[in-house]
Amino acid sequence: DKQHYRLAWWRTAPEAINWRRFFEITDLAGLRVEQDEVFETVHELIFRLYAEGWIDGVRIDHIDGLSDPRTYCRHLRKRLKPLARQRPPTAPSGPAYIVVEKILAPEERLPDEWQVDGTTGYSFMNEVSALLHNPAGESELTRLWTALSGRSGDFDVESHRARRRILQELLAAEFNACAYALHRIARANPATRDWSLLAIRRVLTELLVQFPIYRTYADGRGRSAADTEIMRAAIDAAHPFCSVADWPLLDLIDGWLGADSLQPEHTPRERRMRLRAITRFQQLSSPLAAKSVEDTAFYRHGRLLSRNEVGANPAQFAISSQEFHAECQRRARHFPRALLATATHDHKRGEDLRARLAIISQIAEPWSGQVHRWIAANARHKNPQPQWPLIADEYMLYQMLVGGWPLDLQPNDTVGVHQLCERLQQWWQKALREAKQISSWGTPNHSYETACQSFLNQLLDRSQSQHFIDELASFARSIAAAGCVNGLAQTLLKLTIPGIPDIYQGSELWDFSFVDPDNRRAVDYTHRQQLLAARANPSALIRDWQNGAIKQQIIQRTLQLRRNHSELFEKGEYQPLPVVGSRAQHIFAFERRWRHERVIVATLRFPAVVNDSSLLPASSWWGDTAIALPQPMAPKTKTTKGWHAVLTSGSLNLSTPYLFGAALFDELPCALLIAG
C-alpha cells in the first residue's frame, strides 16, 4: 500500500485506470509533452536527425490525443526552424515538413494557425473513393443491406449505438474522469452545486454520442468560431435525447467546456478546474470517435464496404465531380503540401480492392440478385442451430471475397484458394471482434467464430462448393477490369492534384490487401524492380494489365513529370475542365497551370462498360462526349509543338475547343497531357 502503484486484474483497466493510455492499450501511456522538459527529452533524437540531415520532417501520429495540439505543433515548428541552419548543404533547404494524422469530418477544416503542412492524407483517400462511387446505386444497396441485416441503413444510427457501448465499456474510466471534472465546477458555485454527478453523466453521455467530429480545440482563450458552431450542433442534436429538466445543464456544460471564455474575475482555482474539464472532454471525444466509428461501426455497417475506410464517413455514399473539384481548390489554397494517400498501414481494405468494390455501385441490382442466390445456395453450409453465421456477416464476407479475389487466381487452383481462405479467416476474426456484437477481443465468442470459420472453409472447399467458387471467380472477373480502371484513376489523381502523393509500400502494383496485418506483409521489391527496369510504354502493357506493371509505369512516368516540372505541381493553379455530351458523367478532368506550363489530366469515371482485354469502352460508345477546353489552349510560347501525351508518348494538336473522349481514351483509360 505504500507503493505508487499496485498490480491489478487487467479487466479493471477500462473502469479504474488513472493515467492517459493509447485507446484501451494499458501498456502505452501518454506523455505530457506540454511540459518543456518532457518535450525536449521526447524529441531529442528527432531534433538531432533533422539537424544532421537524416530526416526532412515529421509525421505526427494521433495528433488529437494531445491536450493542446495547436500549441504542440507551433512549438515543434519553432524548435525545428533554427535547426535548419545546422543541416548539411546536401540536405533539402526550406522549412521542415510537418504533417499530422487527423481525421476530418466533411465540413471540418484543419486550422491554418497550427503551422503544419497539412494532414497525412485520409481526407483525399475518402474524397477520391467517394468520387468513384455512383450515387445511383445508393438506394438499392441500402435496401439490400436493410433487408439482409434487419438493421438501419443509416450509418449514423450504427455509429451512435457504438458510441454508447464504447463509453460504457472501453472508455468508462476516461468518461468518469471527465464527469468528475465537470462536477467539481458545478460544486464550486452555489448557483450550480445542486446539479448532481448522475445528471452530469446523463447529459455528458448524450453530448458525446452526438458529437460530430473527433474533437474541438478550446483553451484558456475560449473557442474558435468553427468550434462554437460544432459544439452548438452537438448540443442541438443532444437535446431530444435529454429530459427537458436537463436542458439547462446542457447549456451549462457548453459554457464550462469553452463557450464562456475565462474571465479575469475567475480565481486561479476556477481557471484550473475549467481547463482540466476542457482537456478531459477533448481528450475523450477523440478516442471515442476513433474506437466507435473506425474500430466498431465500420465492422457493423455493411452497405458497401469500400466506403468503410479510415477518414471516410459511410453515410456519405458518393460525391460529385464538382464537390471533388472544390476540395482540390480548397487544398491548393490552404494546404498545397498536404499528403495524398490511397493506402496506409491502417487501411481496412487495399486501394484496388476498394476501387473494385466501388463498381458494385454501378451494378447494384445485378449484385443484389447474385447475393440472394448465394445466400440461398450456401445455407447448407451454416451451423444448423443457431443459424450461424448471421446473414449480415455473411453478406460482408461475400463483398470481401469478390473484392479481394486475386487477378491471377483460377477457381481450380486449390492451393491459391486455400491461401486466400487463410487470409480471409484472419480478416473475419478481426472484423467480428472489432464489431463487438457477438464476439470481441476481451470476451471472444469461440462458438460463433468457429461456426464462421467452418462456413468459410466449406465455401472455399472445391469438393463441397465447386459451383459457388466458379460463380464467385466469374463474378469477380466480370468487374475486375473496371475495378482496375478505377484503381488507375485514383492513382493518377493522387499524383497530379494539389498535394504531395504518398505511395504506400507495395501498392505500386495492384493492392488487394485486407486489414492489418495483411496489409503489412513483406513486399517483393525484386519483382517490382524487374518490372520497372523494362520501362515499357503503359499503353503497351494494357493487354497484360493483370500483373500491375501498367499501374507502376503510370506512377513512374507521372513522378518523373513532377520532378521535371516541380513548380507546376507544387504551386500550379487547379482549374476544373467541363465535360459535355451524352457520356459527360464518365469523364473527370482538370488542368494545372503555372506561368507558361500547363497539364491536362483526365480519367474515365464509372467504367463498368470497359472491355477486359483493353480496359477501354468501344470508341463508338463515347459519341459526342468531350472535354470543353478553355481558350486559348495553346501555350504562350513560340516553341510550342502542341500537347504531349505523357503516358502514351504521343502528340496531340488541339485545333478545336473540344477534346473528344474517343480520341482521348483510345489507348489508356486515363490521360496526362503536357503543353510543349
Side-chain angles (χ1 to χ4, degrees), residues 641-655:
K641 296 180 180 179
W643 292 78
H644 175 69
V646 176
L647 304 181
T648 57
S649 300
S651 295
L652 190 65
N653 287 311
L654 301 179
S655 56

Side-chain angles (χ1 to χ4, degrees), residues 79-274:
R79 283 288 287 110
L80 287 171
K81 188 175 181 178
L83 296 177
R85 294 191 293 269
Q86 302 176 27
R87 287 163 62 80
T90 54
S93 60
Y97 186 63
I98 303 176
V99 288
V100 296
E101 187 193 41
K102 165 75 177 153
I103 306 297
L104 295 167
E107 301 303 321
E108 186 183 6
R109 303 291 173 236
L110 186 67
D112 294 303
E113 63 177 354
W114 283 17
Q115 298 181 2
V116 299
D117 291 287
T119 71
T120 57
Y122 291 131
S123 296
F124 172 76
M125 186 186 296
N126 168 50
E127 292 155 10
V128 73
S129 174
L131 178 70
L132 300 179
H133 284 71
N134 193 328
E138 181 176 7
S139 58
E140 175 61 30
L141 292 173
T142 301
R143 282 195 296 270
L144 175 62
W145 169 247
T146 302
L148 295 180
S149 67
R151 301 207 294 270
S152 172
D154 185 345
F155 178 75
D156 289 337
V157 172
E158 205 70 80
S159 173
H160 293 163
R161 289 173 182 163
R163 282 174 175 264
R164 292 185 187 280
R165 179 164 179 178
I166 297 300
L167 277 176
Q168 294 169 358
E169 298 180 6
L170 296 183
L171 298 176
E174 287 81 357
F175 175 76
N176 284 337
C178 184
Y180 280 121
L182 291 168
H183 190 227
R184 280 192 288 272
I185 298 173
R187 287 177 59 83
N189 189 324
T192 60
R193 64 178 45 163
D194 284 339
W195 285 110
S196 67
L197 177 62
L198 191 60
I200 288 173
R201 288 174 58 87
R202 283 197 307 268
V203 171
L204 182 60
T205 296
E206 300 308 330
L207 181 59
L208 286 164
V209 166
Q210 300 297 328
F211 209 68
I213 63 173
Y214 267 56
R215 63 169 283 176
T216 51
Y217 302 96
D219 54 24
R221 303 168 301 167
R223 286 199 203 115
S224 67
D227 282 351
T228 296
E229 186 177 340
I230 289 166
M231 184 62 82
R232 194 68 254 167
I235 294 289
D236 291 344
H239 261 105
F241 299 93
C242 296
S243 67
V244 175
D246 284 342
W247 285 2
L249 181 55
L250 257 179
D251 292 327
L252 277 172
I253 290 177
D254 183 27
W256 295 337
L257 292 178
D260 301 332
S261 299
L262 296 178
Q263 303 299 327
E265 60 267 22
H266 287 134
T267 67
R269 179 171 176 268
E270 288 175 321
R271 184 180 181 86
R272 287 195 301 271
M273 286 193 300
R274 290 201 175 203

Side-chain angles (χ1 to χ4, degrees), residues 389 421 425 428 432 448-458:
C421 183
Q425 292 286 11
W428 211 5
L432 295 172
Y448 186 72
E449 289 180 6
T450 299
C452 290
Q453 183 179 33
S454 174
F455 179 75
L456 178 54
N457 285 337
Q458 292 179 73

Side-chain angles (χ1 to χ4, degrees), residues 388-458:
W388 285 348
L390 299 178
I391 292 180
D393 292 328
E394 181 184 357
Y395 175 55
M396 286 189 273
L397 173 64
Y398 291 141
Q399 292 185 58
M400 293 299 287
L401 280 164
V402 167
W405 187 270
L407 290 168
D408 60 350
L409 180 59
Q410 298 301 317
N412 58 357
D413 179 358
T414 55
V415 174
V417 172
H418 177 70
Q419 291 173 342
L420 175 63
C421 183
E422 288 184 328
R423 292 173 54 218
L424 280 164
Q425 292 286 11
Q426 194 173 41
W427 161 79
W428 211 5
Q429 182 189 68
K430 178 167 183 169
L432 295 172
R433 293 184 178 184
E434 294 284 15
K436 306 171 189 68
Q437 295 185 116
I438 296 180
S439 191
S440 69
W441 294 108
T443 54
N445 185 329
H446 296 294
S447 297
Y448 186 72
E449 289 180 6
T450 299
C452 290
Q453 183 179 33
S454 174
F455 179 75
L456 178 54
N457 285 337
Q458 292 179 73

Side-chain angles (χ1 to χ4, degrees), residues 513-525:
S513 60
F514 305 143
V515 73
D516 65 276
D518 192 67
N519 62 7
R520 304 177 189 182
R521 288 177 293 161
V523 177
D524 187 349
Y525 288 109

